[in-house]
């Protein structure tokens, strides 16, 4: 057997199944910590049991006087003695004198007993705070404080007030049931939220981009961070690209934006603007907005060193609005006094608005997330439920993001659309919800599962009959046209089945599939193909 376990094999195994239940958090006196199950205690040593899936790499001792080293997937490394490997588990010995704490026990000797398995930990240690939210400035600057205040008010709290503790750090206080409660909101960027969650220093990680693979691994003791128990989509946002209102440019394609921000295009005249140099404004490296922009636009090519970086969305947008040479980007609520541009990804040119962002057809649309442990406290679960409720989503909309409450729109029909498609949808309203699917699959994604309940409520409250609901499926361009036509209709049938499970019956005659005929995004990119794999929902009112 190879002594060294490659990171690739571990990552693959973890992404296939993140199921391990942790017994204890082991803290050593040198400050390092790891998760393990206590196997036995004798002769001044603890023996710990660790599944192979938790180990990134092992370096064995070269001789009797050396020690073994283990590197965990959580990025912690320790020196230890590896005793044996049995049944997919390593057994290691550590002196009692080297251990500072096991779980909640801080005195280590052989008189203490431990249960063999405990539940996955909640996200936070005991603190003086009612709730603690760390991470995205996009969420934390305005949305999170308003959601917290509304939630406290709903609980019956009085004397609700807030104060800035430091830059991008806010503390909200209130009187609840005769006691003073405090909520901490620290908004230094999405990546800082995941780091805080990993350190047990917050209850909720706020993120304006989805959790990364390495973060899923680091946080696995809290459950699968991509499951609907841990990941909560709370809003849709678009990364808007904006300029000074006097700039004559109204639209750009993603290649032009990339060339601008990498420094290859330096003058507005090169793309039809005034003969002026281009001044660049960008979010800082901890920002989820920057992560999204970097991934979707720059494709991780180097940002021009001349770009001015900002931690705060509002400050960035205000500076762009005062600079006729400037260009910046940020969430929809932060366009403020600047002018947003329509964006093309090579297929269609789309201006960010509440409809194109809600349906996620806008090329730079993104989801906003709250991440928690799967074992939430009752208070934390109640807050998440409030945020996802119709009342909480109304607040999302009031702040300027696109909320998840179902709405209907009358989109523009144009000659770019297939003739048969136009014939079907003429006179209908389109709903703000799309179902999107994995590649070559008819399985609903995480957001779509939650949308089923919202749609059920919408159809019942508006008394929409089964004959008035239309499900229209589309595919990407991978595969033959015939197979894609079949797959697109199968996806619409899948959406119909899921809605039927919620008590919403839809006439089979209203299930249509148009295959790859009407892409809303560029099929040459994986993200574009994902946007094209969709089921639209239309209604006759």
């Amino acid at each position: 057997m190879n002594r060294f376990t490659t990171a690739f094999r571990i990552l693959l195994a973890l992404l296939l199944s993140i199921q391990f239940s942790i017994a204890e958090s082991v803290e050593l006196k040198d400050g390092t910590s790891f998760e393990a199950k206590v196997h036995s205690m004798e002769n001044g040593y603890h023996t710990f049991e660790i599944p192979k899936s938790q180990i990134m790499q092992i370096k064995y001792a070269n001789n009797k006087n050396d020690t073994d080293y283990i590197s965990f997937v959580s990025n912690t490394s320790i020196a230890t003695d590896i005793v044996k490997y049995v049944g997919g588990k390593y057994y290691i010995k550590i002196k009692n004198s080297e251990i500072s704490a096991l779980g909640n026990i801080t005195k280590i000797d052989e008189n203490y007993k431990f249960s063999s398995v405990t539940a996955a930990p909640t996200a936070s240690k005991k603190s003086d705070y009612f709730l603690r939210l760390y991470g995205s400035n996009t969420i934390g600057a305005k949305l999170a404080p308003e959601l917290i205040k509304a939630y406290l008010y709903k609980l019956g709290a009085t004397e609700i007030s807030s104060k800035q503790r430091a830059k991008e750090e806010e503390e909200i206080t209130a009187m609840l049931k005769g006691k003073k409660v405090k909520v901490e909101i620290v908004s230094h960027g999405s990546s800082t939220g995941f780091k805080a969650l990993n350190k047990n220093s917050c209850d909720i990680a706020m993120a304006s981009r989805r959790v990364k693979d390495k973060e899923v691994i680091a946080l696995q003791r809290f459950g699968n961070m991509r499951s609907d128990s841990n990941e909560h989509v709370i809003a849709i946002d678009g990364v808007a690209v904006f300029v000074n209102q006097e700039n004559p440019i109204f639209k750009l394609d993603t290649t032009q934006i990339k060339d601008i921000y990498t420094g290859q295009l330096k003058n507005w005249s090169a793309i039809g603007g005034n003969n002026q140099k281009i001044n660049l404004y960008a979010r800082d490296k901890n920002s989820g907005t920057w992560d999204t922009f970097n991934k979707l636009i720059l494709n991780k090519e180097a940002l021009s060193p001349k770009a001015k970086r900002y931690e705060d969305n509002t400050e960035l947008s205000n500076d762009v609005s005062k600079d006729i040479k400037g260009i910046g980007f940020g969430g929809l609520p932060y366009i403020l006094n600047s002018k947003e541009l329509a964006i093309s990804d090579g297929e269609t040119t789309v201006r960010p608005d509440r409809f194109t962002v809600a349906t996620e057809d806008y090329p730079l649309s993104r989801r906003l997330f709250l991440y928690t442990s799967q074992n939430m406290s009752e208070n934390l679960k109640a807050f998440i439920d409030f945020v996802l409720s119709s009342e909480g989503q109304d607040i999302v909309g009031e702040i300027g993001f696109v909320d998840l409450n179902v709405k209907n729109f009358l989109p523009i029909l144009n000659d770019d659309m297939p003739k048969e498609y136009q014939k079907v949808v003429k006179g209908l309203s389109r709903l703000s919800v799309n179902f999107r699917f994995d590649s070559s699959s008819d399985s609903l994604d995480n957001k779509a599962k939650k949308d089923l309940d919202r749609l059920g409520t919408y159809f019942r409250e508006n008394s929409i009959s089964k004959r008035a609901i239309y499900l229209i499926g589309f595919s990407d361009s991978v595969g033959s046209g015939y197979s894609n036509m079949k797959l697109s209709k199968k996806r619409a049938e899948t959406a119909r089945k899921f809605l039927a499970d919620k008590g919403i019956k839809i006439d089979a005659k209203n299930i249509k599939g148009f295959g790859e005929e009407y892409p809303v995004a560029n099929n040459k990119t994986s993200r574009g193909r994902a946007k094209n794999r969709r089921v639209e929902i239309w209604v006759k009112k």
Side-chain angles (χ1 to χ4, degrees):
M1 181 182 292
N2 191 331
R3 285 182 165 182
F4 298 97
T5 305
T6 66
F8 175 78
R9 289 174 60 194
I10 292 300
L11 178 59
L12 180 61
L14 288 169
L15 293 178
L16 288 173
S17 177
I18 306 177
Q19 300 292 333
F20 171 51
S21 292
I22 303 298
E24 299 291 346
S25 176
V26 184
E27 296 183 21
L28 304 183
K29 290 185 176 178
D30 65 2
T32 59
S33 63
F34 60 98
E35 307 291 337
K37 178 181 174 182
V38 177
H39 178 263
S40 61
M41 295 168 283
E42 58 182 6
N43 300 325
Y45 283 85
H46 273 63
T47 299
F48 295 101
E49 174 186 304
I50 305 171
K52 180 181 178 181
S53 62
Q54 303 303 301
I55 296 174
M56 182 72 75
Q57 193 175 44
I58 294 175
K59 182 178 181 181
Y60 290 100
N62 292 322
N63 54 62
K64 291 182 179 180
N65 296 323
D66 288 340
T67 188
D68 300 321
Y69 288 88
I70 289 181
S71 171
F72 296 89
V73 294
S74 60
N75 295 322
T76 299
S77 298
I78 63 168
T80 186
D81 290 320
I82 299 174
V83 179
K84 60 181 178 179
Y85 176 77
V86 178
K89 299 172 184 176
Y90 284 93
Y91 293 80
I92 67 172
K93 286 175 66 175
I94 296 180
K95 287 183 179 180
N96 292 348
S97 59
E98 295 176 0
I99 303 171
S100 62
L102 277 174
N104 294 323
I105 299 172
T106 56
K107 182 181 179 183
I108 308 301
D109 61 38
E110 290 164 25
N111 295 320
Y112 290 95
K113 296 181 180 179
F114 301 86
S115 59
S116 59
V117 178
T118 63
T122 56
S124 63
K125 296 178 180 177
K126 185 177 179 181
S127 77
D128 293 333
Y129 286 97
F130 185 67
L131 286 172
R132 296 172 298 169
L133 297 82
Y134 278 54
S136 166
N137 175 266
T138 299
I139 300 172
K142 295 181 180 178
L143 179 55
E146 290 306 311
L147 288 169
I148 287 292
K149 291 173 186 176
Y151 176 61
L152 290 172
Y153 182 80
K154 186 170 184 177
L155 292 179
T158 59
E159 301 179 32
I160 302 171
S161 63
S162 64
K163 66 177 181 179
Q164 290 300 124
R165 195 174 63 188
K167 185 175 174 60
E168 314 307 339
E169 296 185 12
E170 185 172 353
E171 185 173 280
I172 297 172
T173 59
M175 293 300 297
L176 181 62
K177 297 179 181 179
K179 295 182 180 179
K180 185 177 181 178
V181 296
K182 297 187 296 182
V183 176
E184 183 182 37
I185 303 174
V186 179
S187 312
H188 294 298
S190 296
S191 62
T192 66
F194 293 114
K195 291 174 183 175
L197 195 61
N198 195 27
K199 293 178 181 177
N200 293 330
S201 56
C202 75
D203 306 290
I204 298 172
M206 306 177 290
S208 54
R209 45 90 174 163
R210 202 176 189 199
V211 62
K212 297 178 180 178
D213 289 348
K214 64 181 181 180
E215 292 161 341
V216 170
I217 295 169
L219 295 166
Q220 63 187 295
R221 67 186 185 280
F222 299 126
N224 182 352
M225 299 308 289
R226 291 202 177 110
S227 75
D228 55 10
S229 298
N230 300 73
E231 179 184 78
H232 314 282
V233 180
I234 65 164
I236 307 296
D237 186 26
V239 177
V241 179
F242 41 78
V243 295
N244 179 279
Q245 292 186 26
E246 295 183 20
N247 190 314
I249 299 294
F250 281 88
K251 61 183 180 179
L252 292 173
D253 63 43
T254 51
T255 299
Q256 290 172 320
I257 300 170
K258 178 180 178 180
D259 289 344
I260 288 171
Y261 270 91
T262 55
Q264 296 180 59
L265 278 176
K266 296 181 171 61
N267 195 293
W268 284 109
S269 61
I271 48 176
N274 298 326
N275 184 19
Q276 296 173 317
K277 73 170 186 175
I278 302 174
N279 293 335
L280 305 179
Y281 298 80
R283 290 295 308 280
D284 69 336
K285 64 181 181 180
N286 286 324
S287 160
T289 303
W290 161 250
D291 260 354
T292 301
F293 185 85
N294 189 26
K295 180 180 179 182
L296 300 184
I297 297 295
L298 299 188
N299 198 22
K300 299 188 177 180
E301 286 192 23
L303 175 70
S304 167
K306 294 186 178 180
K308 188 175 180 181
R309 308 297 295 270
Y310 292 77
E311 184 178 40
D312 181 77
N313 281 292
T314 301
E315 185 180 355
L316 184 156
S317 183
N318 284 338
D319 283 358
V320 171
S321 70
K322 299 170 185 174
D323 182 2
I324 194 170
K325 305 174 186 177
I327 184 170
F329 59 87
L332 281 184
Y334 301 100
I335 296 170
L336 302 177
N337 295 317
S338 298
K339 179 180 74 177
E340 76 281 357
L341 302 178
I343 306 297
S344 168
D345 69 349
E347 188 64 45
T348 56
T349 301
V350 182
R351 174 184 170 274
D353 59 37
R354 301 190 77 79
F355 172 70
T356 60
V357 172
T359 58
E360 300 181 272
D361 293 345
Y362 174 61
L364 304 185
S365 62
R366 59 170 178 179
R367 299 174 179 185
L368 303 183
F369 304 87
L370 299 181
Y371 287 90
T372 65
S373 167
Q374 66 181 4
N375 291 338
M376 290 184 279
S377 66
E378 288 301 316
N379 177 51
L380 180 53
K381 184 178 185 306
F383 173 67
I384 295 296
D385 289 344
F386 171 76
V387 172
L388 298 178
S389 71
S390 177
E391 184 179 356
Q393 287 300 301
D394 284 343
I395 295 170
V396 169
E398 289 168 6
I399 293 299
F401 295 107
V402 175
D403 62 81
L404 305 180
N405 290 331
V406 180
K407 300 176 181 65
N408 68 80
F409 299 84
L410 286 172
I412 298 170
L413 303 183
N414 56 60
D415 291 338
D416 292 338
M417 298 174 173
K419 291 285 192 292
E420 186 62 26
Y421 175 61
Q422 292 187 57
K423 182 179 177 181
V424 170
V425 302
K426 187 175 182 180
L428 304 181
S429 296
R430 186 176 167 190
L431 298 190
S432 56
V433 172
N434 271 352
F435 289 130
R436 282 195 158 83
F437 298 81
D438 297 328
S439 178
S440 302
S441 167
D442 58 0
S443 298
L444 295 177
D445 70 13
N446 214 23
K447 174 180 176 290
K449 296 173 186 176
K450 303 281 188 182
D451 285 336
L452 287 169
D453 290 324
R454 298 185 183 102
L455 283 167
T457 300
Y458 177 85
F459 291 140
R460 283 188 291 270
E461 289 181 349
N462 290 276
S463 301
I464 299 176
S465 72
K466 68 177 184 178
R467 291 185 177 85
I469 305 170
Y470 293 76
L471 300 178
I472 303 177
F474 296 88
S475 73
D476 59 27
S477 61
V478 177
S480 70
Y482 176 72
S483 63
N484 284 335
M485 188 70 69
K486 288 177 62 178
L487 181 57
S488 66
K489 188 170 183 179
K490 184 181 178 183
R491 285 171 175 156
E493 290 282 4
T494 297
R496 178 184 178 224
K497 177 182 178 298
F498 280 117
L499 284 167
D501 291 341
K502 297 290 183 180
I504 306 299
K505 308 295 183 181
I506 300 175
D507 196 315
K509 295 179 181 179
N510 293 352
I511 306 302
K512 308 290 183 181
F514 287 94
E516 59 192 71
E517 286 190 39
Y518 184 48
V520 295
N522 194 333
N523 271 311
K524 293 181 180 180
T525 68
S526 60
R527 179 176 170 85
R529 291 190 293 273
K531 284 181 174 290
N532 291 331
R533 298 189 294 266
R534 70 196 189 278
V535 170
E536 298 175 355
I537 307 168
W538 295 72
V539 296
K540 184 185 295 182
K541 296 190 71 175

